[in-house]
Amino acid sequence: MAALTAVPLLAILGEVLLRGYHQLSWAFFTEPTPTAYKAMKAIEAGEPIPGGIANGIVGTMIMLGMAVIVAVPLGILCGAFLAENSKNRFAQFVSYLTDLLQGTPSVIIGIITYIWVVVPMKGYSAIAGSVALCIMMVPLIVRSTEETLKILPASLKEAGLALGGNKARVMMRVQLPAAFGGIFTGILLAVSRVIGETAPLMFTALGCSLIRFSVDKPISAVPLLIWEFFNDPNLQELIWGASLFLLLFVLALNLTAKYLAKKWNQ
Amino acid sequence: MESVIPILEFKKTCVSYTKQTMAVKYVSAAIERNTITAIMGPSGCGKSTLLRAVNLMHSLYQNIRVDGEILLNGENILSMEPIDVRRRVGMVFQRPAPFPTMSIYDNVLSGFSLNGIKLSKAEKDTTVEHCLKSVALWDEVKDVLNKKGTFLSGGQQQRLCIARALAMKPDVLLMDEPTSALDPIATKHIEELLLDLQKEVTILIVTHNMGQAKRISSKSMFMYLGELVEYGDTETMFTNPIDERTKAYLTGKMG
């Protein structure tokens, strides 16, 4: 029975690998998406489709980076507050809201970000995309921070306080460093969870066929590209290379997270 | 006759976890300066609870009430700021708890960093050396000061925790069964160390081990069901206990 649960994952991995591996080349990671016309020409000539997904990779990294910069401190602060005040009514309420936010469908987060950010800024942008990703990451980081802090031995905190430290200093210098492994694992899992999100980016980042570094203009992302390739008969060949890249990236993040969690538990 | 203010005095100290039950009931006792005072008694008699009242550990938890007075050099700590009390009253826990992310060096200085006190490099070096020497750990660790505290053996970790507490120059050192997680050799080291340290600091030690109380303490308290049954010279208590309950405990009929 247990083996059955592994079947879908292996099947997906096998399929994507078989269809996608021959597209992976240096150019695939360094060149932007080709136009449909160029792709059509290449297909007619029987050549491989030129270009790659560099615009998507750059966009994904920029938006993830901005989301992480905001979500990590916010999530850790909130998680620390919840762990320290688990009996407080307000904290219990916030904790409940965190659960709700975690369960909110990503398409709704997308449309809300559209109203909150895209409309006032009068345009799609990397900023809007990162806001949507950030909203999705915060509850995940809050939870992992809270859970990790709660399983630390109470003696650690007491030892810190017994030396005369105030709560904030003991949190910053003793508890959070001791919980670093668990929190970092949580951050990696949060990143791997949102990196493949497509729906919220459709409402916010929109997409772009150029490699762009500006944060106030529409920008591409790897999952957005997969959707675009699917909708263009000339580009469909590129779906698998992009999917393989995304899959391997998430897999690598998960393995790193698992490795760190194990190392930290020792 | 000149009256000397005891370094630490319990006056009708009560601790309760719930409204109905008191874990420590009306304990009154004056602790003498530069002595080792042992608190003995069977499990659940309130000895750790009494000890933890002295550095206001109970204030971390809602619902725990401490009543009466606990005087530190004549000043009631129950009306003082917990942070001020804890700087003057050090504590060593049952399980050695060096901070796992800090080096041996930083562990000794953690009291300063946690209080936001900045020291010069020279001050740091002398403090670390002095404190580690006073717990007889310096020779063993002087070449590995940058390693993590958790890299040491259990007994060494506990001595590191004592050094960490001593660095703050406390008036009183509270010890909650500090050797119960250690092997006999490490225990012996710690006991010798405590006998030495009483010149510098007044030690209040909770112990399950009657032999230990006899070996190191000059005064002993015997607690039973939250009450302080007997308090006096250790030697007298072991040879000629006044209360029947003390006698029953010390002869192994109870406990």
Side-chain angles (χ1 to χ4, degrees):
Chain A
M1 278 308 277
L4 270 180
T5 60
V7 169
L9 175 69
L10 292 178
I12 291 171
L13 204 61
E15 184 84 46
V16 174
L17 211 73
L18 275 178
R19 286 170 179 267
Y21 80 95
H22 63 272
Q23 284 165 2
L24 299 191
S25 64
W26 182 242
F28 190 74
F29 297 106
T30 54
E31 288 175 20
T33 315
T35 59
Y37 178 74
K38 268 191 189 164
M40 198 173 74
K41 281 282 172 200
I43 293 168
E44 276 173 1
E47 290 164 7
I49 297 175
I53 56 167
N55 49 336
I57 296 177
V58 168
T60 290
M61 292 307 159
I62 287 178
M63 286 190 283
L64 270 181
M66 290 196 295
V68 163
I69 286 173
V70 178
V72 166
L74 197 67
I76 291 178
L77 272 178
C78 188
F81 170 76
L82 294 185
E84 284 299 299
N85 300 284
S86 54
K87 293 207 176 96
N88 175 314
R89 277 265 171 109
F90 174 68
Q92 284 169 352
F93 180 64
V94 172
S95 178
Y96 180 64
L97 289 184
T98 309
D99 281 342
L100 285 183
L101 187 58
Q102 199 171 336
T104 307
S106 60
V107 67
I108 293 177
I109 290 178
I111 190 71
I112 294 291
T113 314
Y114 174 82
I115 292 171
W116 284 351
V117 185
V118 177
V119 172
M121 282 181 68
K122 298 193 173 66
Y124 299 97
S125 65
I127 291 180
S130 69
V131 169
L133 296 185
C134 181
I135 295 176
M136 298 196 66
M137 285 174 76
V138 166
L140 297 166
I141 297 173
V142 169
R143 267 287 164 268
S144 64
T145 304
E146 184 189 355
E147 298 303 328
T148 314
L149 285 173
K150 275 185 176 168
I151 58 168
L152 287 182
S155 59
L156 221 53
K157 178 183 159 193
E158 288 190 348
L161 292 168
L163 284 164
N166 64 28
K167 278 191 163 190
R169 282 211 188 89
V170 173
M171 176 57 78
M172 291 305 291
R173 288 173 189 265
V174 177
Q175 290 165 275
L176 283 179
F180 175 78
I183 295 173
F184 193 69
T185 305
I187 294 170
L188 287 187
L189 289 177
V191 168
S192 75
R193 164 94 170 63
V194 301
I195 195 173
E197 280 299 340
T198 321
L201 296 183
M202 289 174 165
F203 295 97
T204 52
L206 191 67
C208 172
S209 56
L210 309 169
I211 300 178
R212 242 187 203 160
F213 293 93
S214 45
V215 295
D216 57 346
K217 302 232 167 57
I219 201 164
S220 189
V222 179
L224 278 180
L225 283 181
I226 295 176
W227 174 243
E228 282 167 25
F229 295 158
F230 179 77
N231 286 314
D232 189 331
N234 295 308
L235 295 174
Q236 277 181 5
E237 274 298 296
L238 292 171
I239 288 177
W240 301 105
S243 303
L244 185 60
F245 168 77
L246 202 56
L247 202 58
L248 291 180
F249 198 85
V250 170
L251 220 60
L253 276 178
N254 273 290
L255 288 177
T256 315
K258 205 157 226 162
Y259 170 76
L260 285 175
K262 204 170 147 194
K263 209 174 159 196
W264 178 68
N265 280 333
Q266 279 166 0
Chain B
M1 205 174 79
E2 193 192 349
S3 73
V4 183
I5 300 173
I7 187 154
L8 185 69
E9 188 172 10
F10 297 100
K11 276 189 174 171
K12 294 186 182 164
T13 306
C14 301
V15 185
S16 49
Y17 289 95
T18 60
K19 273 177 188 153
Q20 295 83 25
T21 53
M22 267 198 261
V24 170
K25 299 171 193 164
Y26 303 102
V27 168
S28 294
I31 308 296
E32 282 174 30
R33 201 175 288 269
N34 295 77
T35 55
I36 298 178
T37 303
I39 311 179
M40 293 182 288
S43 297
C45 70
K47 52 193 190 304
S48 288
T49 305
L50 179 67
L51 191 78
R52 290 165 62 88
V54 181
N55 67 344
L56 299 176
M57 273 290 144
H58 294 312
S59 68
L60 300 179
Y61 303 92
Q62 288 173 341
N63 308 327
I64 306 184
R65 272 185 62 104
V66 182
D67 293 301
E69 284 180 295
I70 301 173
L71 305 175
L72 180 66
N73 291 317
E75 207 181 337
N76 187 8
I77 62 162
L78 298 180
S79 51
M80 285 164 70
E81 278 298 312
I83 287 173
D84 297 331
V85 174
R86 292 178 193 142
R87 280 177 201 171
R88 292 163 59 186
V89 181
M91 184 156 192
V92 175
F93 296 83
Q94 188 169 3
R95 297 210 157 268
F99 299 128
T101 54
M102 292 185 195
S103 65
I104 295 171
Y105 187 89
D106 290 335
N107 256 288
V108 177
L109 297 169
S110 56
F112 296 98
S113 58
L114 287 171
N115 280 298
I117 301 168
K118 298 248 185 306
L119 296 180
S120 71
K121 178 85 176 89
E123 282 172 319
K124 282 183 182 174
D125 287 345
T126 40
T127 308
V128 169
E129 186 173 342
H130 174 79
C131 292
L132 288 176
K133 273 182 176 159
S134 61
V135 297
L137 196 57
W138 176 251
D139 290 332
E140 291 160 54
V141 303
K142 63 174 186 256
D143 299 320
V144 290
L145 288 174
N146 287 321
K147 290 219 177 180
K148 297 267 181 284
T150 41
F151 154 86
L152 301 169
S153 74
Q156 289 174 321
Q157 287 189 19
Q158 196 61 300
R159 276 184 279 160
L160 177 60
C161 291
I162 298 173
R164 177 176 76 185
L166 289 177
M168 299 308 289
K169 295 198 169 39
D171 298 330
V172 178
L173 188 61
L174 308 173
M175 309 188 95
D176 191 356
E177 301 195 38
T179 60
S180 65
L182 304 180
D183 63 73
I185 295 171
T187 300
K188 187 165 170 275
H189 275 303
I190 302 259
E191 287 181 2
E192 286 166 357
L193 172 66
L194 296 185
L195 285 170
D196 245 13
L197 285 177
Q198 62 180 322
K199 283 176 245 144
E200 295 174 39
V201 61
T202 307
I203 297 171
L204 198 56
I205 180 171
V206 163
T207 178
H208 233 99
N209 180 336
M210 283 181 265
Q212 181 168 66
K214 203 170 171 179
R215 283 191 296 273
I216 63 171
S217 71
S218 48
K219 294 273 184 175
S220 284
M221 292 185 184
F222 173 69
M223 289 184 70
Y224 188 65
L225 297 175
E227 280 174 55
L228 178 58
V229 173
E230 196 165 337
Y231 174 43
D233 287 337
T234 303
E235 196 153 339
T236 320
M237 195 184 286
F238 273 89
T239 50
N240 201 3
I242 301 165
D243 196 282
E244 277 304 313
R245 290 169 291 182
T246 317
K247 197 172 171 184
Y249 180 75
L250 293 176
T251 52
K253 284 178 194 148
M254 178 178 87

